[in-house]
Structures are given as C-alpha cells and as structure tokens.
Amino acid sequence: MNRILFSFLISLIVLKAAAQKNDCGCFVKGVVRDRHTGQPVVGATILIAGQNTGVFTDEKGRYEMRNLCPGSYTLECRIVGYHSFQQKLDLTAGHEENFNLQEQEVHLKDVEITAHRTETPSSQPLTTLTGIDLEKTRGQNLGESLKGLAGVTTLQTGSSISKPVIHGLHSNRILIMNNGVRQEGQQWGSEHAPEIDPFIATRISVVKGAAGVRYGSDAIGGVILVEPEELPFDKPISGETNAVGFSNGSQGVLSGTVQGGISGFEGFGWRAQGTIKRGGNIRTPNYFLDNTGISEKNFSLAAGYRHKGFGIDVFYSRFATKIGIFSGSHIGSITDLLNVIKNGEPLIKSGFSYEIARPNQNVTHDLLKAETHYHFQNGNRLQWTIARQINDRNEYDLHRPRNDSLAALNHPELTFKLTTLTNDVVWDHKPIAGKIAGQIGVSTFYQYNLMDGRPLIPNFNQFNIGVFWMERYVKNGWELEAGVRYDYRTLKTYRIVNREKVADSFNFSNFSGTLGATRNFSERFSAKLNVGTAWRAPNVSELFSDGVHHGAAAYEKGDATLQAEKAVNSIASLKYADARWSVELGGYYNYISDFIYLKPQSEPILTIRGAFPYFKYTQTDATFKGIDLSATWELAKHTTIASKLSYLRVYDQQNESSLVMIPPNRLDNQLKYELPEIGKWNHAFVSIGNLFVARQTRVPLASDFLEPPKSYSLWNLQAGATLKISEKQQFEIGIGVQNLFNIAYRDYLNRFRYYADEMGRNASLRLKWKFGA
Amino acid sequence: MRMNRKITWMLLIGAAINFTQCKDAGDKVTPHDENELITSVTLKFAEEGTSNVSSFGFKDADGDGGNAPTKFDTIALKPNKTYTLTIELLDESRTPVENITNEVAKESDEHLLIYTPSPTSLLTYTYGDKDVNNYVIGLTGKAVTGAAADGKLKVQLRHQPGVKNGKPEPGSDDVSLDFILKIQ
C-alpha cells in the first residue's frame, strides 16, 4: 500500500488582478488551469473570504469578479479533488499606479499556488505542521516534533526514543506515510521509534481518526503524512543548511539540502539531502542518565521528470541510527524493579559522555520508491507507485554472553530484518459535472521478516491486497464523501518449538467504509462530520510473544487465536475564524471492537529469576472518547494567545474498567509577540508557553508497580527572526528553552518512568541559511 | 487503445516485480538459544564434621514459560549446625549441558551471589571466596543454622558487569529464588 500523498504540485493557478480608478470599480480576473495538462479547470469556486460572493470558472476555466472596492482581500479557490487554498490580494498598496489604466488588464502578480491533492477524507480533521511551526521543531525526532499538536502525544522510552500517539492510540494502531509510502518498521515494539528523518519533510500532517478506506490496515487512530516539497523542476540551484544545538546532551544536528533543475534538460528536477546528529548523555535536573547518547546519519536523493501530462519520480532514503538505552532500565527480576522504585532515582550514576555502550539499538531503514503518473487529456489521471523498504534492527542487551568466545564476537542479541514491497495503482476519474470527483485504487504489499538471536517473535511472510473506491461531491457549501474498501491478508509464521520448525497460517479480511460531510456555513464558520472504519490484524508479537519483557518486568504471552481489531470512529469538528479569533473544536468517539491488550492474569509465572506478573494478550471492546480544542486569540496588535486542550477518556466496555497507558489530559498555552519589521529583519517573535499535563487518574486497579506520576507544569521560551540578506538569500535564527525552571517530573507515557526523571532544562539554538530561489 | 495497452503492461510489470521478489521467511528459521539461560540451581549443604551432603534445587528445563518448573525443593536443615554451602548452576537446555558455575567463577568480578534468610535468625551466611578485586563471590561459603524454625531463603545471582562494588545494588538478577527453609 502506498500513497500518492506527497505534496504534488499539481495545479498552477495564475490569477491576474487589475483595477479601475474609480472607487469600488476594481476587478479580479484569471484562469484556473491544471498544471500538467494545461487544461482549464471547469467549475472551480472562487470566493472572497468574508463576503458571501463567489463565482465559478466557466468552460474555459475563466472567472471574473467585478465591483470590488480597493483593499486587501483573501481569495479562496475550491476545486473538487483538491484542498481549498487561499491567496491574499492587495488591491491598493503598491499598485495604485496601475489603477489609472482603465479597463486594461494589468498583470499585478503571477500567483503560483501549490494545491495539495486531497487523498485523505476532507471531512476528517487534518492538522499540518509546516513553515515556522515546523522550523521550531527542527533537530527533534518525528515523535517530538508532533507533540505540539492538539490530540497528539508521545509514547517514550527514555528521552531519545519517542513514538507518536494520536487520540490515545499508537504503534500498530497509527500509520505513518513516509513520502507516500507506508512506513514498515517493527512498529509493534513500544521502543521502536519511526525511522524517519523529519528534515526530509516540509509538511508533516496528522489525520485524526480512523482512515482505513484510503490507507488500509492499521489506520485506526490516525495517519501521519510526512511530505517533502515538490521537486524544483527547471529551477535554478537552491538549498538550505540547518544547524541546531541543544544544551542538554550537548547535542548537535547538521542538515543540508541542495536541489535544482538541469539547464538544457527540460522537465528535470533533483534534490539531495543529508542529516547528521550526535548527542551524549541526557541530564535530568538532578543527575545524568547513563548511556543515553545518540548518533544518526541520514541521507536522501530524489529525482523527477515531467513532460506534458507524464511524470516520474524516484526517491531513495537511508536512515541510520545508534541509540543508547539507559543502562539502569535493565530489570532482572521484580526485586530489581522494586528496589529502583524504592530508591527514587537510578542506582547507576553517571557523568556526561558521548559514548554509546550496551544496551543499545542500531537501526537502518532504506527506502527506494518510484512513482509515475499520467494525466489524460480528458482529465483522468493514473498513478502507480512501487516501493521497497528494508528495516534492519539490531538490539544489543546489557549483558554479553557469559561464554568468552561468543562475547568477543559482540553480536546483537536480537536482529530483525523486515523487507516490505508495496505496489499501488490509483485511478482518479475526471470530475463529473465539475461536482463529483473520486478515485479507485488497488494496493498490495508483501512483507517478510527474518529474525535472529534470542527467540522473541517468529519469522513471517505476509501478503495484503486492498481495493478501494472513494467519491466526493461538492455543491453550494456542502462537501459530501463516501468510500469503501476491502482488504485480504495472509500471514504465515515460522518458529522453533522444541527444536522443530512449526509453521502457522492466518487469513484476515475486512471491509472498511467512510462517510463524511463538510458544511461551509460562511467564510468564517464551517463544520465537519465523519464516520470512518479501520481495522488491524493482530501482529506476530501479539500472536506469539512468550517471555519476560525486561523493560516492563512482566511475563507476556501471545494468543494465536486473536481476531482482527475493528474500529468505528465518529469525529465532528467546528471551525471558526475571523480577524482576531480562530477556534477549532473537535470531538470524537472511537469504538474499537476486539481491542487487543495485555490482560493481567491472577497467577504470577515462576521463573528462575523469581515470579513475574503474568499478562496475556486478550481482546475486549474499548471506547476512546475525547475532545481537542485549539484556539488563537489576537489579544492586541502583534500579540496572540494560542491554547490547545486535549481531553481523552478510555473505557474497557467488557471489563467495565479503564485501560493502561492512556495519555493524561493536557493544556498548552502560548503567548506570542510578533515584532514589527526592522530593516532587513522580519518575522521576528518572542513567545512564552506553558504545558500542563494532568495526572492520569483513570487506571485499572492494581495494574501497575507504581501509580501514575503526578501532574506537571513546564514553561518554555522561544524567539526567532529572519534576516533577508538579498533577494536570493536569507538567514533564520531561533532560540528556545524547554523546561525553563528545570522541573523534575515523570511522564505516564514514558516506559522509563519507574527508573528516572524526564529531561531537565534544554536550551537550543537553531540557525538556517537558505539560498537560491 | 494504445494507452490502455501501455497501462496493462505497467500493471503486469508492477505485479511481477512484487511477486518475483518474494522470499520465504520459513527457509531461514534457525534454532537459537538464550545467551544467559540458567535452567537449574542446586544448593549443596555439606554438614561440617560429617560426610552428609544434602542437595536442594530448582529446575525449569525449558527456561521461562513453556512448561512449569519441575522442581522447587524445600530446604531442610538441622538446627545449630555448620554447613559448607556450594552452588551449582546449569543450562540443561543445551547438549552437552553447560555448566554456568564455571563461567560465573571465570567472570567472578562481574557476579555476586546473595543468600538472604528471613527471618534472619534462621541462618548466618559467611562468604568463602573473593574475586580479583577482593570482593566476595558466594560460590562457596559457610552457613550456620539457628534454632528450629520455618522461613525462607532467598538466593540471588547478581550480574554486575563493570559495576561490581561489593554491594548488592548494582546490576540485575540472573537468579532470584525464594526457597522455603525449614530448620528442624
């Protein structure tokens, strides 16, 4: 299964504006075209934000709006099959001289608009991190970068491994689309972070709620879209260099991108990008965490060609990381765990060091992708994407083998090599009557996992085929959409039982559906409602785990009779925006039947390291209910307050209790002051923020060694500015301090909360130099 | 029509690539052993001044999980006697059986055995061996029993690579067993 979601510059729209001299005699006219075919787009809606007037493009894609008064306007264009987009137009400042020209068309500005194809249901909330907001997160890993979005949290293992959590769901219950390809690592493990370099992306979006129809299995909690910029076809060479330093862990990150076209070779574009990261031991307010260094070296290469309606893109990326795992987290027995909990801080003390010793993880992820598409003259479009990814994960335990000759080899105790081949064909049919657009697609994936070392999960082969069909209808402020999908999956596992090879076969199939509506009441107010379903087949660790989990001090046992999980998610959102206010309120109700979780068993299991609490993978029906609220208020000129609230309640319907590891509620407030432009400096701002995370009080009784940590409140400071050196060069600087008051706290969703505090104060400096284009 | 044919070819090639690259994970399954597995622990109490040796053990031949442990003896000792206590650790999941006691002895600067009676009056343990850094090990030692009573004896093998300092805290448990102890 892989997606076409990457930011495809599919439509170039040229707006031309001109004006007459007399008051309210200005007009705006232009043509809306599809970039590839050059064909006019019929039936696109052009609106002026804040006014209830709108026009449609005619059969030649033309539109014209007359009798406009001079002033600033926001033009909004909606095309079925594309995200709506907005463009600011100034019909006074700087262009007054043009207004003298009566009735003559004046070319004020060629407005190039990148319309992102909407593959996701548009009635589902989509939050995008881009521009300055994305720049502020530079240097952090993917999970950390997304943490600022309402409804998104992280599941951590120490401070260097974090996985995104959407509406309380994570790992195999959310899907990450890396540049249009579904990311396939060993996602079942809570200490297996996504193998993606965020510097690849210029947009990171989160689709909240079940999106099984478009994306297939696993999209139960939501989808994360990591999208690079469109390749710079026929453009001169440009690029950027980012340097980020963090005080905590003395971490440095260096990333660079160079891109361009090739002169004399029309329709060609390329990009090369690389990142190096190195950090040492992390410091909590009171002590260093031993062996928490990180080293990362990533690069990616991309090239593409466009000719008329035809396009092809080839992308290769390699992600390679070595992460130290806090050495105080290795638990031999329950006594070990109780001792470190009693001690209140780690028994192992350390100073600062860049050394990464055992235990550690070495992971490389290679992705090779080719995508080709063709726009037919009549408006149809065919796209085909193939990709191969190889995830090579090596985990080194704290202890080497006792046997000297084995120890000398220094082999990892666990290796997993997961190879995934994906193949997607998507057909977008031409809009019917300019109102109905849709797509039909077939996705397949084939995957095999080879594992070596300490027995943990079996080897497996997996094949999945999915067929989907989605349609969208747009008329008079209404957008309706519907879609269906069918998936079929076979899984064959191989393991050793009593020195004999045992093979098991599993088949899963599922229908998914989506139904949604968007209503634009006015330019300021809109509402969305979506009901979507998604499914997930049990993964091999849920089917076949059998052993002590040394991070959790628990004996976990799988169940080969588990059925697929199915989610029905209803999500409604309201959006209001005016000059000073912007509010988005979303509520969701996600019912997951056959929800797979670890159920505590009454009898502990006796091992040579003593008795361990015994957990079995079991199924129940669970509900995830919650509210995401984000609001921005312009308090005074240049001063804004932004607040985000995430509220979630989870209930196990069958056992009438709570579930473990559910993110507590949180409130994030930021006060921002934007400085006026000074000389060549612009976009300057300072902000102060506070994050309050409540205590998780809804936990099952006697389910944990330690009750959930107390609530905490953290302050942060940020500032940044852009210096325009010349037309073609700019320099950006940003500084920030996280955990300003060096608060010692623990987070419920950090698996190391038993052992150690979270990271203390962390100051950062970001520098960015952009050149060309 | 020509376009349709082109597309058909594209699809066929796509499908073909996907299937020709399929490998079978089943061909690569090889049995592997846990590095540090210990399947049995035997405590040998040799009564001083006699040739009486009593052995008490724990055995879980297939390691954690799977079949339940097959042996978990109650330690029965006489009151007010002095015993020489030695311990034997085996990995019986391998053929030939691997003697972990020897490996612990070889890496004695990374290991520590701890014997904790409860109540403490049941037994007094004195270490009889030391590693290169002059820290105790516990592969051999002396156990002096108290008056007749019942309780428990916790036997721990602490794995302390690089952090052994003579104290129990560093490292983690490789063995942690609560034997029932009867002084009678």
Side-chain angles (χ1 to χ4, degrees):
Chain A
M1 267 297 289
N2 75 63
R3 286 320 114 38
I4 321 86
L5 233 291
F6 46 90
S7 58
F8 213 64
L9 180 89
I10 218 145
S11 155
L12 167 87
I13 296 190
V14 179
L15 300 174
K16 286 179 180 172
Q20 286 178 308
K21 190 179 187 175
N22 50 335
D23 283 351
C24 298
C26 302
F27 64 90
V28 180
K29 60 192 268 185
V31 181
V32 179
R33 288 180 189 279
D34 185 290
R35 187 189 187 196
H36 290 285
T37 58
Q39 293 292 306
V41 175
V42 186
T45 316
I46 312 291
L47 298 153
I48 289 184
Q51 298 184 7
N52 281 325
T53 51
V55 292
F56 292 99
T57 53
D58 64 13
E59 72 280 0
K60 290 186 175 159
R62 290 179 309 207
Y63 71 92
E64 189 170 320
M65 283 175 155
R66 289 193 165 269
N67 303 325
L68 299 171
C69 305
S72 292
Y73 295 97
T74 301
L75 266 193
E76 192 176 336
C77 180
R78 295 213 190 105
I79 318 171
V80 67
Y82 297 80
H83 269 304
S84 68
F85 55 80
Q86 295 188 326
Q87 179 65 43
K88 284 212 165 87
L89 263 188
D90 206 336
L91 290 179
T92 47
H95 300 294
E96 274 178 51
E97 69 277 15
N98 295 332
F99 297 156
N100 297 326
L101 307 167
Q102 298 239 346
E103 286 293 332
Q104 196 183 334
E105 242 182 59
V106 177
H107 187 90
L108 284 183
K109 209 179 179 185
D110 273 352
V111 186
E112 198 180 296
I113 293 163
T114 49
H116 289 271
R117 293 183 61 78
T118 63
E119 303 291 347
T120 51
S122 67
S123 54
Q124 252 173 292
L126 178 89
T127 317
T128 300
L129 199 60
T130 185
I132 285 184
D133 290 332
L134 182 63
E135 294 303 331
K136 278 194 232 168
T137 70
R138 287 306 193 194
Q140 296 177 333
N141 60 39
L142 185 71
E144 289 289 314
S145 305
L146 293 170
K147 206 153 99 158
L149 303 177
V152 184
T153 52
T154 54
L155 170 68
Q156 285 179 273
T157 300
S159 49
S160 41
I161 298 175
S162 65
K163 306 191 73 167
V165 180
I166 306 174
H167 288 170
L169 298 165
H170 57 81
S171 299
N172 276 312
R173 293 191 182 99
I174 64 169
L175 184 63
I176 300 175
M177 298 296 301
N178 180 11
N179 194 0
V181 179
R182 68 184 279 145
Q183 176 81 6
E184 289 286 340
Q186 304 280 351
Q187 277 121 326
W188 49 270
S190 56
E191 66 275 46
H192 303 167
E195 302 86 355
I196 293 173
D197 177 7
F199 275 108
I200 284 181
T202 50
R203 285 165 62 89
I204 303 177
S205 312
V206 176
V207 182
K208 294 178 205 162
V213 170
R214 186 60 189 86
Y215 297 103
S217 70
D218 300 2
I220 283 182
V223 183
I224 293 168
L225 311 166
V226 179
E227 302 165 299
E229 213 169 350
E230 166 78 346
L231 285 171
F233 297 103
D234 300 324
K235 287 192 181 149
I237 286 187
S238 66
E240 63 175 60
T241 309
N242 287 277
V244 189
F246 294 98
S247 66
N248 204 325
S250 299
Q251 194 179 94
V253 187
L254 202 62
S255 179
T257 305
V258 192
Q259 58 182 15
I262 292 180
S263 56
F265 188 3
E266 204 184 313
F268 193 77
W270 61 275
R271 177 181 297 133
Q273 177 270 346
T275 305
I276 299 176
K277 185 190 261 191
R278 190 77 175 91
N281 287 352
I282 296 295
R283 200 182 198 296
T284 69
N286 301 314
Y287 44 84
F288 279 100
L289 299 176
D290 181 48
N291 196 42
T292 47
I294 183 167
S295 163
E296 206 175 287
K297 293 183 189 89
N298 316 318
F299 73 91
S300 69
L301 301 168
Y305 175 71
R306 298 281 182 276
H307 182 67
K308 289 185 180 158
F310 173 79
I312 184 162
D313 277 5
V314 181
F315 177 83
Y316 172 76
S317 71
R318 184 183 180 87
F319 177 92
T321 186
K322 182 175 181 182
I323 304 177
I325 308 289
F326 172 51
S327 54
S329 68
H330 182 94
I331 294 297
S333 69
I334 292 295
T335 324
D336 285 345
L337 181 63
L338 296 178
N339 281 340
V340 65
I341 290 174
K342 204 172 101 191
N343 200 46
E345 60 178 57
L347 297 162
I348 294 173
K349 290 287 159 53
S350 158
F352 180 79
S353 165
Y354 276 112
E355 197 198 336
I356 300 171
R358 284 168 172 258
N360 68 288
Q361 301 181 351
N362 289 7
V363 186
T364 58
H365 192 95
D366 289 273
L367 167 66
L368 179 63
K369 181 197 104 166
E371 180 272 339
T372 180
H373 62 261
Y374 187 75
H375 289 259
F376 295 89
Q377 287 296 324
N378 58 11
N380 292 323
R381 180 175 183 272
L382 182 71
Q383 184 181 39
W384 176 39
T385 312
I386 50 168
R388 188 188 70 167
Q389 27 185 334
I390 299 174
N391 185 286
D392 194 355
R393 166 174 285 275
N394 297 282
E395 296 187 2
Y396 295 81
D397 288 352
L398 175 63
H399 301 158
R400 288 166 197 257
R402 281 205 185 78
N403 183 311
D404 286 340
S405 56
L406 284 178
L409 297 171
N410 198 24
H411 282 315
E413 274 63 40
L414 280 173
T415 67
F416 310 91
K417 198 167 179 183
L418 181 70
T419 308
T420 310
L421 304 153
T422 52
N423 197 5
D424 298 78
V425 179
V426 178
W427 171 267
D428 290 73
H429 69 72
K430 63 178 175 193
I432 299 166
K435 293 190 177 71
I436 299 176
Q439 55 184 196
I440 297 172
V442 183
S443 302
T444 61
F445 89 78
Y446 180 79
Q447 189 171 65
Y448 59 90
N449 191 40
L450 303 177
M451 119 134 248
D452 203 1
R454 172 156 58 82
L456 189 69
I457 58 163
N459 282 358
F460 64 85
N461 300 333
Q462 187 159 250
F463 175 75
N464 193 105
I465 182 160
V467 186
F468 69 91
W469 179 29
M470 285 175 85
E471 292 292 332
R472 181 180 307 156
Y473 173 80
V474 182
K475 202 190 174 187
N476 298 342
W478 280 95
E479 263 184 78
L480 306 174
E481 60 193 349
V484 285
R485 183 188 179 103
Y486 177 75
D487 278 290
Y488 177 78
R489 176 177 288 207
T490 62
L491 168 69
K492 209 160 181 193
T493 63
Y494 302 91
R495 62 209 164 103
I496 300 287
V497 179
N498 298 327
R499 309 210 158 249
E500 298 282 329
K501 187 162 99 178
V502 176
D504 296 278
S505 287
F506 301 86
N507 294 314
F508 302 99
S509 62
N510 192 68
F511 275 102
S512 315
T514 186
L515 208 57
T518 305
R519 173 81 170 109
N520 294 301
F521 296 101
S522 73
E523 293 317 309
R524 289 175 176 172
F525 185 46
S526 66
K528 292 176 174 191
L529 177 68
N530 177 277
V531 180
T533 69
W535 74 295
R536 177 178 81 88
N539 64 55
V540 284
S541 77
E542 290 162 337
L543 294 169
F544 291 112
S545 277
D546 195 1
V548 173
H549 190 314
H550 283 273
Y555 191 95
E556 297 175 356
K557 191 164 170 58
D559 178 358
T561 64
L562 293 175
Q563 301 298 309
E565 262 178 15
K566 289 157 295 279
V568 180
N569 190 30
S570 309
I571 188 157
S573 61
L574 299 173
K575 213 172 183 173
Y576 175 82
D578 65 19
R580 296 185 67 188
W581 279 92
S582 159
V583 181
E584 189 172 354
L585 174 67
Y588 55 92
Y589 183 92
N590 197 353
Y591 185 90
I592 306 179
S593 49
D594 292 325
F595 182 82
I596 300 172
Y597 75 111
L598 281 166
K599 183 180 182 157
Q601 304 293 304
S602 53
E603 286 296 308
I605 208 154
L606 183 66
T607 77
I608 199 138
R609 273 165 281 122
F612 282 92
Y614 182 20
F615 294 89
K616 254 185 173 166
Y617 280 103
T618 314
Q619 297 190 290
T620 185
D621 298 330
T623 51
F624 288 68
K625 292 180 277 191
I627 291 169
D628 293 339
L629 173 69
S630 54
T632 313
W633 177 39
E634 196 181 306
L635 198 67
K637 206 171 179 197
H638 304 306
T639 311
T640 50
I641 289 185
S643 299
K644 285 171 209 149
L645 173 79
S646 308
Y647 178 86
L648 169 65
R649 276 185 90 152
V650 177
Y651 200 66
D652 175 344
Q653 298 289 337
Q654 281 185 10
N655 300 298
E656 297 181 346
S657 72
S658 301
L659 284 169
V660 292
M661 290 299 267
I662 299 302
N665 303 323
R666 58 190 58 217
L667 176 65
D668 187 341
N669 287 298
Q670 298 279 334
L671 176 69
K672 185 172 169 186
Y673 177 72
E674 279 169 64
L675 282 73
E677 216 170 293
I678 311 162
K680 287 182 167 179
W681 289 93
N682 54 37
H683 298 301
F685 74 94
V686 284
S687 75
I688 180 161
N690 175 269
L691 171 70
F692 172 78
V693 177
R695 179 182 210 148
Q696 183 54 278
T697 50
R698 294 184 189 94
V699 289
L701 285 171
S703 61
D704 209 335
F705 296 104
L706 189 61
E707 53 182 17
K710 289 196 275 281
S711 63
Y712 60 85
S713 166
L714 304 177
W715 291 87
N716 66 71
L717 277 182
Q718 303 253 24
T722 303
L723 173 67
K724 199 134 183 125
I725 303 168
S726 69
E727 202 47 47
K728 299 230 155 160
Q729 281 191 70
Q730 70 175 39
F731 176 74
E732 290 172 34
I733 181 165
I735 53 170
V737 186
Q738 298 294 327
N739 193 357
L740 187 63
F741 299 112
N742 211 20
I743 303 280
Y745 69 102
R746 296 188 185 197
D747 189 88
Y748 182 53
L749 256 68
N750 191 333
R751 291 181 48 241
F752 286 3
R753 70 179 185 279
Y754 300 127
Y755 320 122
D757 291 338
E758 295 283 332
M759 194 191 277
R761 184 185 297 123
N762 189 10
S764 61
L765 173 67
R766 290 177 289 106
L767 302 173
K768 178 177 177 176
W769 176 55
K770 247 178 124 166
F771 64 94
Chain B
M1 218 32 232
R2 211 160 55 87
M3 200 58 219
N4 284 347
R5 208 173 303 150
K6 230 187 224 172
I7 292 160
T8 314
W9 275 111
M10 265 163 67
L11 297 183
L12 284 175
I13 295 166
I17 289 173
N18 245 357
F19 286 99
T20 51
Q21 294 199 343
C22 294
K23 255 190 211 167
D24 192 11
D27 302 338
K28 301 253 179 154
V29 192
T30 41
H32 266 277
D33 303 298
E34 190 130 8
N35 275 333
E36 302 182 56
L37 190 65
I38 298 172
T39 60
S40 78
V41 175
T42 309
L43 299 171
K44 290 179 183 163
F45 289 87
E47 192 183 332
E48 208 160 73
T50 69
S51 57
N52 298 342
V53 179
S54 325
S55 293
F56 308 98
F58 171 91
K59 184 173 177 179
D60 186 5
D62 63 347
D64 295 352
N67 299 321
T70 51
K71 187 171 163 187
F72 201 178
D73 294 335
T74 296
I75 302 172
L77 299 173
K78 293 175 194 159
N80 306 313
K81 295 278 183 203
T82 302
Y83 293 91
T84 302
L85 172 57
T86 52
I87 189 165
E88 185 185 59
L89 309 163
L90 298 177
D91 177 1
E92 292 157 307
S93 70
R94 300 180 199 226
T95 11
V97 170
E98 197 165 343
N99 190 332
I100 307 288
T101 325
N102 296 339
E103 293 188 359
V104 171
K106 221 168 16 181
E107 289 175 4
S108 57
D109 58 337
E110 292 186 359
H111 291 92
L112 172 66
L113 283 145
I114 305 171
Y115 304 89
T116 319
S118 62
T120 50
S121 58
L122 287 182
L123 186 146
T124 313
Y125 181 79
T126 319
Y127 285 94
D129 47 6
K130 279 181 176 172
D131 66 18
V132 286
N133 301 317
N134 218 24
Y135 294 128
V136 294
I137 311 165
L139 286 171
T140 178
K142 229 167 224 158
V144 180
T145 52
D150 290 354
K152 276 182 180 173
L153 179 66
K154 189 182 201 55
V155 178
Q156 281 169 281
L157 171 62
R158 302 286 298 163
H159 196 178
Q160 308 177 314
V163 289
K164 185 169 173 180
N165 60 1
K167 290 186 184 137
E169 283 83 18
S172 58
D173 281 338
D174 278 354
V175 171
S176 177
L177 292 170
D178 285 312
F179 285 93
I180 292 171
L181 173 59
K182 289 189 171 179
I183 311 287
Q184 57 200 15

